[in-house]
Structure formats: structure tokens, C-alpha cells
Amino acid sequence: MKKHLTFLILLILTAATGYGQSATSDADSKIVTFRFQPGKDMFVLKGNETELTRLYSLVDEYHGRITAGELPIRVDGYCASRATEKANLHTAYLRANRVKSELITQKGLKEGDFVTANYATAYNGDKDVVVVTLRIPVKKETAVVKEEPKTETRTETKPEPQPTVKEQPAAPVTEPVTETVPETPAPVRPYHFAVRTNVLYDAMLLPTLGVEWRINTDLGVKLDGSLAWWGGEHGKTMKVWLLNPEVRWYLLHDKRFYAGVSGSYGEYNIYKYMVGNILSKDTGYQGSLWSAGLTVGYQLYLSRSFSVDFNLGLGYVRSEYDSFGMTNGVRVYKDRDKTKNFWGPTQVGINLIWTIGGHK
């Protein structure tokens, strides 16, 4: 009885072990973990470089199956460092979206390529992480069953048995295996168009509005226009219009840094009104100017639709002007047909950008 019981237990254990192996062998989970700073939801590259590179490699390898809906990417946000459960869930939600935005921007994926969940708990002791999981189906090997050689015996009427003739097994036919190479996704424009305003010029009472057309991932064309039409008591005035075209080349992996070629042309009439008050306390200027130079800048992404653009231009500026003073409310000219040429800053800006179209 004991022998039978022992045999039954061993049989059950063997079946359970075989079932567990078959359940786990159907898919190989690739897990990538990103760590966040406690209480913050911004995705910081420092400290996550290795994991991000590994995730990029996996997405490149299985990009075709991901976009076809065969292999969704699971993104789980975990946060347990905030004061309340609601705050933890909200932070986990924002962090998961940061990671998804990075893949949408850099790898051309869509929202439908992800399965997202958020938890107000820690993950393996880490309170501030986002875990990305790809369950890669394991290729099942087909077992080749060898046919046993058939034995044919011939029985004759003679009393002595005849020798057995064995047939040789046919050689297995192997079919060529075609290796599928994952397609490399085409680069995606971060956006198609952008509407922008320079908040530095706006603060100096020189309202500025511009547009940018992103031709492709690397090239963009921008045009800004500024207009001020102010007047006040005692002859104070600031009447300025200015156009600033620019061609930009976006550089590096994330296409946020850029260099460009820009120019500008405009006319001005200023006296003691904001900009005029900065230049001189008792002299006004009326004339035109143009400039040409190089620009550099960097775009800081705030969300899918908004960014902040920091830029600086250096080059050549030429201005032709008349200068004047005011006596009893009447302009008295001091100099006529003067020119000013210098090398230096041609533009500076902190621009708020609203992007339209594309994937950021």
C-alpha cells in the first residue's frame, strides 16, 4: 500500500512540474525598469540610460509585430512615495505616460500599442518605478519523429526460416528556413506645424507671433513677426515692425537641439517708450535695420502639444536712422542719415510653442 501511495505522489509531482514548465515556456518576458525621483513625475535620462537603450533595442527587434497588434507593450506605473493613495495613482499615471511618450516620439509607436496599469504600491521594494514588459512568444521546436526501419519477414514452406530483410529509412527532407528581419521604422516628424510667441519680446511690449513648418525630422522653416504701435504723453512713442525668417537643422538623437541661419528686417520709431527709454533718456530714433547670422537653440518638451524654445542668434546688424529730441512737444532732429554697424546678438528668445500634428 505504501509503495502504491509513493508511486501516486511521484506521478502527481511529475505532472505538476511538466505543467509548470509548459505554462512558462510559452513566452519569455523581457522586463525593463525605469526609476523616478521621489515625488516627481518627469522622466530623467540620467540613471536610466542602460535600460532605455535596452528597451529601444527590443522595440526595434519586434517593431513590426508590435505595430501589427500581435505583441502589445505592457507599461505598469508604481508609486508609493506620496502621502495619499490618490496622489500615488496620479503620479504613477503621469510617469507611465512619460515613458510611453518617449517610445511614441523616438520609435513611431501609437497609443494603441500599449497596455497600461497603475498601482499605488511599491514594486520589489522600489517606490518610484515604471516597469515595461514585453512577453515574447517562445518558438516551439517541432520534434522530428524517426521512423523505425520496417522489418519484412518472408515465410516459405521450407522448414528453415529465411533471413530477415531490413529496409533502410528514407533520409529526412529539410526545408530551407527563411529568417524574417524586422523592418526598421521610418523616422517620424515630432510635429508638422507649430505656432509660437516670444515671451521676452511680449514682456517688452513688442508682441511677437510666428509659425514653423517642420519639413522632415531634421529640417524646419520658421517665420516670426513683431508689431508694436504704442504712443503716449510728451511725445513718447514705440512704433516697430520686424520680420525674422529662419531655416533650422535639428540635431542629435532626440532632435531637440538645433542650429540655423536667420535674418531680419524692420522699421522703428522709438522715443522714451519701453525700448526707447532703455536706449536713451532724451533722444529718439527713427529708421530701419536688417541683420543676418547664425542661431542655436533647444526645445524643452512640456507635453504632447506644448514646448518651450530657447534660442540665441549672433551675426551682423546694420541700422540706418535719424535721431531727434523733443522741444515743447516738437521734434528737433539731431542727426540725419546716420548708420550703425556691429557684430553681436541678432535675436534672443524664450518662446512658448503650440505644436500641431505628428508625434511628440
Side-chain angles (χ1 to χ4, degrees):
M1 184 65 182
K2 290 183 178 179
K3 291 182 179 181
H4 292 172
L5 182 59
T6 303
F7 176 75
L8 182 60
I9 293 174
L10 289 176
L11 184 62
I12 294 172
L13 291 177
T14 303
T17 304
Y19 175 79
Q21 291 176 350
S22 64
T24 57
S25 62
D26 289 341
D28 181 16
S29 295
K30 305 292 186 181
I31 298 176
V32 180
T33 304
F34 297 107
R35 287 174 170 80
F36 286 73
Q37 298 179 7
K40 298 182 179 180
D41 58 71
M42 293 300 295
F43 182 50
V44 179
L45 183 60
K46 184 177 180 181
N48 290 313
E49 300 95 333
T50 302
E51 291 290 84
L52 186 59
T53 301
R54 190 161 70 91
L55 180 57
Y56 280 170
S57 177
L58 289 171
V59 172
D60 289 340
E61 183 177 357
Y62 298 100
H63 189 274
R65 300 184 64 180
I66 293 172
T67 55
E70 300 175 3
L71 190 64
I73 301 176
R74 184 173 182 85
V75 181
D76 295 310
Y78 293 87
C79 180
S81 60
R82 306 302 295 269
T84 63
E85 180 181 3
K86 182 178 180 181
N88 283 322
L89 285 175
H90 182 66
T91 303
Y93 164 80
L94 293 177
R95 290 171 175 172
N97 282 346
R98 303 289 189 197
V99 174
K100 289 193 295 183
S101 296
E102 189 71 21
L103 293 176
I104 290 172
T105 301
Q106 304 302 330
K107 295 300 175 182
L109 300 182
K110 305 183 297 296
E111 182 68 30
D113 298 329
F114 300 93
V115 176
T116 310
N118 303 292
Y119 306 93
T121 59
Y123 174 80
N124 291 341
D126 291 326
K127 296 182 178 181
D128 300 276
V129 295
V130 170
V131 179
V132 181
T133 306
L134 278 79
R135 290 186 58 82
I136 313 301
V138 175
K139 296 180 180 180
K140 296 182 179 180
E141 298 181 356
T142 56
V144 179
V145 180
K146 293 185 178 180
E147 295 182 357
E148 293 294 334
K150 298 180 180 179
T151 304
E152 181 180 348
T153 59
R154 297 180 180 178
T155 307
E156 297 183 359
T157 57
K158 294 182 180 181
E160 295 181 1
Q162 295 296 323
T164 304
V165 179
K166 297 183 178 179
E167 294 182 357
Q168 296 295 329
V173 179
T174 58
E175 296 182 356
V177 179
T178 303
E179 182 179 357
T180 58
V181 179
E183 298 180 357
T184 303
V188 180
R189 274 182 287 179
Y191 52 87
H192 296 288
F193 294 96
V195 180
R196 48 194 291 119
T197 183
N198 191 334
V199 295
L200 283 183
Y201 288 11
D202 296 342
M204 298 177 66
L205 300 183
L206 184 60
T208 301
L209 186 65
V211 294
E212 180 185 3
W213 174 38
R214 196 70 173 262
I215 299 175
N216 54 41
T217 306
D218 303 318
L219 185 64
V221 178
K222 182 214 72 167
L223 177 64
D224 286 348
S226 303
L227 178 64
W229 212 258
W230 315 113
E233 298 178 353
H234 309 294
K236 293 182 179 181
T237 185
M238 185 170 80
K239 298 181 178 181
V240 182
W241 69 266
L242 184 67
L243 291 177
N244 173 226
E246 181 180 342
V247 178
R248 294 177 168 183
W249 289 268
Y250 288 87
L251 308 173
L252 304 181
H253 176 69
D254 55 5
K255 304 301 181 183
R256 299 185 185 185
F257 176 80
Y258 62 87
V261 178
S262 68
S264 63
Y265 181 80
E267 295 180 344
Y268 57 89
N269 181 3
I270 52 178
Y271 177 69
K272 286 190 176 182
Y273 205 115
M274 200 59 184
V275 177
N277 204 26
I278 296 174
L279 295 175
S280 176
K281 296 295 184 181
D282 59 356
T283 302
Y285 301 91
Q286 181 175 354
S288 62
L289 64 83
W290 63 269
S291 69
L294 303 177
T295 59
V296 293
Y298 180 82
Q299 289 188 356
L300 176 63
Y301 294 168
L302 301 180
S303 67
R304 189 177 179 86
S305 300
F306 291 95
S307 300
V308 177
D309 186 337
F310 303 90
N311 70 289
L312 175 66
L314 299 174
Y316 172 75
V317 181
R318 178 180 176 85
S319 177
E320 300 175 356
Y321 65 93
D322 301 331
S323 62
F324 59 88
M326 296 293 293
T327 302
N328 296 325
V330 178
R331 288 190 177 188
V332 178
Y333 284 92
K334 297 182 179 181
D335 294 301
R336 290 277 196 172
D337 300 325
K338 300 291 289 184
T339 60
K340 181 71 174 180
N341 305 284
F342 70 90
W343 293 86
T346 57
Q347 60 174 298
V348 62
I350 300 177
N351 302 271
L352 180 62
I353 303 175
W354 175 39
T355 58
I356 305 172
H359 298 280
K360 283 189 62 178

